[in-house]
Amino acid sequence: MNLAITETMRQNWSLFIIFLRREFTGQYLGSVTSVGWALIAPLVMLAIYGYVFGEIFKVRFPEADAVGFLGYLALGMWPWIAFSESISRAIKAVKGNAALVHKTALPHEIFVYSTVLATFLTHLAGYAAVMLVLALMGKPLVWLMLPLVLYFMLLVLLLALGLGLIVAALDVFLNDVEHGVPLMLTMWFFSTPILYSPSLLPEGVLPYLNLNPMAYIVVNIREAMLIGHWTPGWIDGVALLASIGVFIFGRWFFNRCSPRFEDFL
Amino acid sequence: MKAEAPKDQPLIELIGVGKNYPLANHSADRLAALWDLLRGRPIRRTRNILHEIDLRVLPGCSFGIIGENGAGKSTLLKLITGVLRASQGSVKTRGRIGALLELGAGFHPDYTGRENIGLNAALVGLTQAEILVKTPEIIAFADIGEYIDEPIKHYSSGMVVRLGFAIIAATTPDLLITDEVLAVGDESFQKKCVKWLENYVASGGTLLIVSHSMYHVQKLCQQAIWLNNGTIEKSGDVYEVTQAYLAFHERKTADGTITDRAAVDGDRFRIDSLSINGSEQATTVIKMGADLHIQGIVYSPDERTPVVVIGIVRADGTPVYGTSSEIDSARLGNIDANHFAFKLVLEDIPLLPGAYTIRSHAMDPEGVRLFDTLTLDFVVSGETRELGFCRLPHHWVDSPGSDTTDH
């Protein structure tokens, strides 16, 4: 019995590796710079936001003084891009593999995991590259805190996997997901303090900010890298449990639906 | 390869398996179905595709699945390969199962041939290391040249089959599920495949074949099931099942223009009873080569002896043979003034297995006017793959032309 289980796990791992590799080679297949696009697109966005808000609107707040508006923006933007891109691509993870769902008996979760992980890792690499640039520019960042940033990125991954599983399953039943989710992600982006600092928010909103897990993550990453202190509190425990909870709920949701995917695709 | 599987344990065991499909064309239905799924309840609006399917496939005992389009054959295959989960009952499978179906089993259209090899090899349970070793072998067998690095969607159907077969050949599953897919490849590749299949079966491999060709099913399988409207109409020995299926089809295509006895009013010549080998039921089964005893009673309104005509037709109405008491100058037996008994014996009937009908007619004593028809169905059984509906006396000359005395 145990043998059969490990055998299945080994087989699923092989499949996962195949799909993950395919995600990397297939994602930007046919484009000249290949994976480069994954790094270029956020850079262009960074330039646009930096110019519009930093130069035209001349947004100023004390937190950004040390690294400049662009550096401040970059620290918050990559975690968000890793999160939102992962979810956007997860929407089609099952539907895009309909041909396989109809003909093969593989665990459908693999489609979501490979899609999300490939996207996430690409942007994590982008994040590392941006950090390197900031370091070369001599920005005063607290490099000792990098492992903590990785920990927060792990929370991002858990959230992206959990939500990715849900949207991928939902998309099998409802086409609306493809239109609704990107819109929701845009709203989520602007309600997360990425382009601005929480200090610019109205007093009444601040206590509720941590209800947005991405706000919690972005704010904490910036504090760690800019100020360099982080004292764990009960909120951090809640955040960790909530992230794991989202992932577990996503799995439950997905696996409830997945035996019937073939019927609805 | 894996350790040899115990011979008495089934490769496939289906018990009371049913499958329903949700009726979900509108968003509201789909949402309702989603809600049912999340609550762990059965979906409310469904249509049953399969009911109460029992199936046991033992190692080395190849199995055929026959039935009309829409009978549920593909759904059954999907349940066996694990693509679908049964709505009722249990599905148990053991060992490596490979599928080679006409529609390109398990290929992703956007993946290249090479990527699909990796995917399929992993699906049948090969490790990464094994896949690396096998890939060149598979590519060589498929023999599709540079296309191996093109997406599958650019392949011709023949190339898809080549690749599919190459993967199966390299991974040697314990059970191979297939259909008439091999007809797609070209001549030389077909030969390669047939040779491989023969080796596979000879070395203890098991086939599960879905086919409309009874010839293939009889040739390759020992057992068969006939699916009709999602249920098993008949299962068991391959010859019994395929013959019953063919008989069903012959009856279905027969136009059924034979006027029944209702047309016979009151006092005319008529056939009162008819039996085959003592049975008046339409369920008589006769072994090919056995004797056929046709007897009955004919009624005469005017005490004169009528002429009895007896014919054999196939279930689709094609006449096979007919004769009459007048042609053969047979004498009927007097039961009473108005009733006459007749009995016709056909020895060693050379009819090939299938469904047939005996037609008996009552004619006036002059043998001119036909008054009545009474029919009775029967089935000829036997294990043969000869073609047509009657065995003609024949023999093959051994090595003709190699002997100078032969002319």
Side-chain angles (χ1 to χ4, degrees):
Chain A
M1 192 64 204
N2 276 333
L3 207 77
I5 290 172
T6 50
E7 175 75 4
T8 312
M9 279 179 66
R10 192 193 52 70
Q11 181 178 352
N12 289 346
W13 178 253
S14 298
L15 287 168
F16 171 69
I17 295 298
I18 287 169
F19 280 102
L20 189 63
R21 195 188 300 144
R22 168 70 201 187
E23 282 296 324
F24 278 118
T25 58
Q27 203 171 358
Y28 305 96
L29 206 73
S31 63
V32 187
T33 49
S34 186
V35 177
W37 277 115
L39 308 174
I40 290 166
L43 277 177
V44 172
M45 275 177 67
L46 182 72
I48 293 171
Y49 284 129
Y51 181 72
V52 172
F53 290 94
E55 299 301 317
I56 299 178
F57 293 160
K58 300 226 182 325
V59 176
R60 291 287 177 269
F61 36 84
E63 294 93 331
D65 283 350
V67 285
F69 182 69
L70 221 54
Y72 185 83
L73 199 56
L75 281 180
M77 206 152 91
W78 259 266
W80 171 262
I81 285 170
F83 173 74
S84 69
E85 279 281 296
S86 295
I87 291 175
S88 305
R89 289 185 41 85
I91 297 172
K92 287 264 199 176
V94 173
K95 219 184 230 178
N97 284 300
L100 291 178
V101 175
H102 281 299
K103 298 229 177 73
T104 59
L106 47 78
H108 303 139
E109 279 176 281
I110 287 178
F111 299 137
V112 180
Y113 295 153
S114 54
T115 304
V116 167
L117 204 67
T119 314
F120 183 85
L121 289 178
T122 307
H123 292 298
L124 195 65
Y127 202 15
V130 165
M131 293 268 196
L132 192 69
V133 170
L134 290 177
L136 291 175
M137 287 164 70
K139 299 289 183 189
L141 292 174
V142 188
W143 301 107
L144 267 178
M145 285 293 178
L146 269 182
L148 193 62
V149 174
L150 265 182
Y151 162 75
F152 282 117
M153 289 306 281
L154 184 71
L155 298 190
V156 174
L157 179 61
L158 283 171
L159 289 170
L161 284 172
L163 295 176
L165 284 165
I166 294 172
V167 295
L170 274 177
D171 191 46
V172 174
F173 295 88
L174 297 167
N175 277 325
D176 312 57
V177 173
E178 282 157 41
H179 306 285
V181 170
L183 205 63
M184 280 166 61
L185 284 173
T186 306
M187 285 163 61
W188 199 340
F189 172 71
F190 284 102
S191 55
T192 304
I194 296 166
L195 291 172
Y196 50 88
S197 100
S199 62
L200 296 181
L201 286 171
E203 281 286 309
V205 178
L206 274 179
Y208 305 104
L209 195 63
N210 279 338
L211 287 179
N212 173 359
M214 287 311 290
Y216 159 83
I217 289 166
V218 167
V219 166
N220 273 285
I221 286 179
R222 274 184 184 147
E223 271 182 15
M225 290 304 287
L226 295 175
I227 304 166
H229 80 84
W230 184 68
T231 41
W234 63 271
I235 185 85
D236 299 295
V238 172
L240 177 62
L241 289 179
S243 304
I244 295 171
V246 166
F247 173 63
I248 290 173
F249 176 75
R251 275 203 76 183
W252 172 84
F253 188 100
F254 188 90
N255 286 328
R256 270 287 163 111
C257 303
S258 85
R260 287 284 187 173
F261 281 165
E262 209 269 351
D263 299 347
F264 285 91
L265 274 172
Chain B
M1 286 305 98
K2 278 185 178 176
E4 192 63 27
K7 283 286 172 208
D8 53 336
Q9 273 189 41
L11 289 171
I12 302 173
E13 190 164 32
L14 269 60
I15 300 168
V17 167
K19 169 69 193 166
N20 57 35
Y21 270 101
L23 291 170
N25 296 319
H26 306 290
S27 295
D29 289 337
R30 297 173 83 90
L31 264 182
L34 175 64
W35 181 235
D36 287 335
L37 281 178
L38 290 178
R39 288 187 306 164
R41 303 235 179 127
I43 295 176
R44 274 163 288 184
R45 301 193 56 217
T46 56
R47 181 193 296 123
N48 260 346
I49 302 293
L50 288 175
H51 330 251
E52 290 294 316
I53 304 289
D54 296 315
L55 182 68
R56 239 172 99 91
V57 178
L58 291 166
C61 180
S62 292
F63 223 96
I65 300 177
I66 55 176
E68 293 169 291
N69 293 329
K73 300 189 298 291
S74 303
T75 306
L76 184 60
L77 287 192
K78 282 186 172 182
L79 287 170
I80 291 169
T81 49
V83 174
L84 285 178
R85 207 172 291 180
S87 314
Q88 295 96 34
S90 83
V91 177
K92 279 189 204 135
T93 58
R94 216 166 41 79
R96 272 182 192 164
I97 296 182
L100 183 65
L101 301 171
E102 206 168 348
L103 300 167
F107 287 148
H108 195 303
D110 294 334
Y111 287 24
T112 67
R114 201 182 292 274
E115 283 168 330
N116 270 302
I117 291 175
L119 177 61
N120 275 267
L123 275 171
V124 291
L126 261 58
T127 62
Q128 289 296 313
E130 285 173 309
I131 294 171
L132 274 179
V133 174
K134 295 266 183 186
T135 301
E137 183 188 322
I138 294 170
I139 292 172
F141 193 104
D143 191 21
I144 55 171
E146 288 166 7
Y147 274 95
I148 198 70
D149 290 310
E150 293 263 335
I152 291 271
K153 62 185 171 192
H154 295 162
Y155 283 27
S156 72
S157 54
M159 288 197 280
V160 174
V161 171
R162 276 164 171 268
L163 188 61
F165 198 86
I167 293 170
I168 293 291
T171 53
T172 36
D174 298 313
L175 178 82
L176 175 58
I177 299 178
T178 186
D179 56 14
E180 276 119 314
V181 59
L182 296 182
V184 179
D186 59 38
E187 193 89 0
S188 67
F189 189 74
Q190 275 189 29
K191 274 186 195 155
K192 209 151 113 180
C193 295
V194 168
K195 201 175 149 204
W196 186 89
L197 267 182
E198 280 169 357
N199 275 334
Y200 172 75
V201 174
S203 61
T206 312
L207 290 171
L208 186 69
I209 296 180
V210 174
S211 180
H212 290 287
S213 157
M214 296 308 121
Y215 179 80
H216 277 123
V217 172
Q218 288 174 354
K219 187 177 176 185
L220 293 164
C221 306
Q222 286 85 51
Q223 296 214 290
I225 58 167
W226 165 16
L227 276 184
N228 193 16
N229 284 326
T231 56
I232 292 184
E233 185 78 25
K234 196 171 172 63
S235 79
D237 176 74
V238 68
Y239 285 95
E240 278 174 30
V241 175
T242 49
Q243 281 156 21
Y245 177 69
L246 285 176
F248 165 81
H249 268 276
E250 284 160 9
R251 266 186 222 113
K252 212 175 147 187
T253 46
D255 44 354
T257 47
I258 308 145
T259 44
D260 264 327
R261 319 200 64 220
V264 183
D265 49 37
D267 238 14
R268 298 268 190 94
F269 294 99
R270 65 169 192 263
I271 305 281
D272 267 0
S273 74
L274 181 67
S275 70
I276 298 173
N277 290 5
S279 165
E280 294 193 27
Q281 307 298 315
T283 51
T284 311
V285 177
I286 292 148
K287 274 227 163 288
M288 184 177 176
D291 290 351
L292 193 58
H293 296 256
I294 302 159
Q295 56 185 317
I297 294 163
V298 61
Y299 170 83
S300 163
D302 55 9
E303 301 183 12
R304 291 189 302 151
T305 312
V307 168
V308 176
V309 182
I310 296 189
I312 298 175
V313 297
R314 269 184 84 97
D316 62 2
T318 315
V320 176
Y321 178 73
T323 187
S324 75
S325 56
E326 187 256 344
I327 294 171
D328 293 334
S329 314
R331 285 191 295 133
L332 306 192
N334 264 86
I335 297 172
D336 56 42
N338 295 103
H339 292 88
F340 298 84
F342 61 89
K343 179 164 183 174
L344 174 70
V345 179
L346 298 159
E347 293 116 6
D348 313 336
I349 46 162
L351 296 175
L352 292 183
Y356 297 87
T357 303
I358 294 286
R359 283 193 196 161
S360 60
H361 310 279
M363 297 179 87
D364 58 24
E366 293 75 33
V368 176
R369 287 190 300 157
L370 192 147
F371 286 94
D372 184 26
T373 301
L374 187 61
T375 65
L376 188 57
D377 296 338
F378 70 105
V379 170
V380 176
S381 73
E383 301 193 354
T384 176
R385 290 188 284 113
E386 288 159 280
L387 311 173
F389 48 78
C390 179
R391 177 183 288 159
L392 299 178
H394 63 280
H395 69 280
W396 290 87
V397 176
D398 265 345
S399 318
S402 60
D403 184 353
T404 45
T405 60
D406 201 11
H407 33 262

